[in-house]
Amino acid sequence: MSWGAIQLIPGVDTQKTLSANSAGVSLSQLIRFKDNMLQTDGGWVSFVNFTVGSTVRDLHAWQDVTGTQHLAVAATAQLGVITLGSYTNITPQTTITNPPPNFSISSGSNLLTIVDGNANASLFNTVYFNTQIAIGAYLISGAYHINSVLGSSIYTVLLPSQSTSTVASSGILPLFSISSGSQTITVVLPNNNYQAITGLFQQFIAPTTVGTSLPTIVQGKYQIVTVIDSTSFTINSPTLASTTASARMNGGNAQLVYYVTLGPPTIGSGFGAGGFGSGGFGTGTVQSGVPGTPIATTDWTQDNWGEILLSCPVNGAIYAWSPDFGYQNAQAIPTAPFFNGGIFISMPQQILVAYRSVQSTGVQDQLVIRWSNAGDYTNWAVNNLTTAGSFHFPSGSLIVGGIQCPQFALISTDLDAWTMTYVGGTVIFNFTKVGTGCGWISSHACGILAGNPYWMSSNNFFTIGASGVTSLPCSVWDQVFQNISVANQDKIRCAINSSFNEVMWFYPSANTAGENDSYVKLHIEGNEYEWSYGSLTRTAWTDVSILGPPIGADNFGQLYQHEVGTSFPGAGQPTFQTGNWTIAEGQSLPIIDMIIPDFVYGLRSGLQNASINITFFGADYPDGPVTTYGPYTVTSTTQFINTRIRNRLLAALVQGNASSEFWRIGRIRFRFAQSGRR
């Protein structure tokens, strides 16, 4: 009798055939490689005893100045903060009204008085004009913080300068005119002060119907074709007009969006005004301001400015919240851009960066990045006294995302990777293209591990090395990139697990209903890349933080803390299958009568009570009939397995046999003899 042994090669390889992957792993689920050994992943437990009511898209942990630890949970229908196990809903709220234009200014004053019967005005609110309004010498558009409240329906906002005229109860909206058979739309908009600048765009948010028979709908972003004078300009409709007609924007009514911030409870509103114990004695819980409608979104990006949480829903405004503010929900920053793809904070200068932000006209541009003054996220004014600025990327269709690395920020368009490096002076940032054809596959597809960025593109994985962007050799490429739901790739999340030097990507498979249900994992061991893959639903993730080990969210809104315990709720058992190893090089037909398992059967600090099922698959040819042997159950008391295997090729399937256990595989030995040729 002869003895053979199998020492598994680290890493999973789905590129090779089973026979070419001799002594390798070809299938995996919830396993990891550590010190060239294969073992089970760390388990996870519920982080809190409740679920979030919608799909979580982003998690961010931080600590305030009092040492209190928080977890921001950004979901499709809500924004919340978990503090000491309790959840606070801080979802931004809005109210949209369509009042007739009733705006007044007085000569020598910089106050604009607005009358809106549905305003529910509050000093904590910001109003955004979806319709441009001309009054006196001003063109009112964009965001204004409410300066004073004269009544729930009357309030004022500050203008940039004092008025030179008095105008009462007025306001002129844009007038659109079309001619039958033409795609030209003439826009009359007093005080626009546009000049004939190539590439200038104007955005019309509130929709306007012009004409009655096959009408033209004016809504969205339009490039200005010609500037007629200081009042009029033309844009082009994508279709020819079927009639000649004119119409005021939004049917002649202003459209105002109120970004509602619910202020702190009113002091002295009386004992018993709220539920018992809901506020301090004698304060009650009467809120300042009238609630609006909570916003909904498909994605979020978040960061913290010291103790202040900054959150941005995709294509939305930037919101700030801190326990010190005393507000009941996140407040829109009125001076920041109101349309952004996402945000991050550039360090160490502490500059808030927004990508897919707005041009100077307030129109969102998919290739514009803007940043605030250093140390002041409310100051976006570009002048000699600030470091605020902007940059327009010259290539690509849109900025996919951005992230701060130790020495630079990394920005990705759909095509290229750029570094954003602080240089100060009048330039502030240098932008350098460092890679082409390697754009991120989603806004959350990049993470930082040991100081280096790693990201997933639409066809490979990349990092930045000494010579620039380099692709990562991936031994599970086909398992991942031939199995992605392209329609849902924007949901892909990069998940860093720095404690184990791992970076994962959760992605939606081709058979999914839309959410992430699969993962691919890279373990970096020295200069070696060890890959594995499996099935797991995670829609958001945050690495090791002040809250401890990594936290992830499943597609039901349940939060889990990973690397805790040895159980895997909702995910089955750790499993792997080897490639085919050849017995005696296949010269003769062998018979294997004994296999000696070699496992660690539990954590070093715990019981050695793991139970493991091993199934063997025997064949004589790579594509020949397969004979199944087992499964055999092994424990710490199992010395050997009696078998009667008669095949040239042999593969093993190893599966956990209980709901909570840890195991690690060593060097498997087997005894065989020749039984003749076939």
Side-chain angles (χ1 to χ4, degrees), residues 295-428:
I295 68 169
T297 185
T298 59
D299 204 356
W300 290 85
T301 48
Q302 302 184 98
D303 213 330
N304 66 289
W305 187 283
E307 70 163 3
I308 300 168
L309 173 69
L310 299 178
S311 304
C312 180
V314 64
N315 298 324
I318 305 172
Y319 298 88
W321 181 87
S322 169
D324 283 353
F325 288 175
Y327 299 141
Q328 299 177 49
N329 66 330
Q331 182 181 41
I333 304 172
T335 51
F338 261 67
F339 302 100
N340 308 278
I343 61 170
F344 65 91
I345 294 175
S346 174
M347 298 300 289
Q349 300 79 21
Q350 199 178 28
I351 295 174
L352 179 57
V353 180
Y355 55 86
R356 294 210 307 271
S357 194
V358 299
Q359 300 175 341
S360 59
T361 58
V363 178
Q364 187 176 15
D365 190 316
Q366 301 297 312
L367 286 170
V368 163
I369 189 168
R370 292 187 61 185
W371 58 89
S372 74
N373 188 34
D376 186 357
Y377 64 81
T378 68
N379 189 350
W380 296 74
V382 180
N383 54 50
N384 293 334
L385 301 177
T386 74
T387 58
S390 66
F391 179 77
H392 189 280
F393 287 88
S395 61
S397 300
L398 80 162
I399 301 171
V400 178
I403 193 171
Q404 180 62 37
C405 305
Q407 302 299 325
F408 53 83
L410 182 65
I411 313 294
S412 172
T413 69
D414 54 327
L415 298 178
D416 310 317
W418 295 70
T419 57
M420 173 181 172
T421 307
Y422 181 81
V423 294
T426 59
V427 176
I428 311 301

Side-chain angles (χ1 to χ4, degrees), residues 423-448:
V423 294
T426 59
V427 176
I428 311 301
F429 288 105
N430 269 347
F431 292 85
T432 304
K433 185 189 293 187
V434 292
T436 60
C438 58
W440 302 359
I441 196 170
S442 74
S443 61
H444 292 71
C446 183
I448 308 298

Side-chain angles (χ1 to χ4, degrees), residues 95-119:
T95 298
I96 301 177
T97 65
N98 292 274
N102 191 338
F103 305 90
S104 302
I105 55 175
S106 297
S107 179
S109 172
N110 65 341
L111 291 178
L112 174 70
T113 302
I114 301 171
V115 178
D116 180 358
N118 296 310

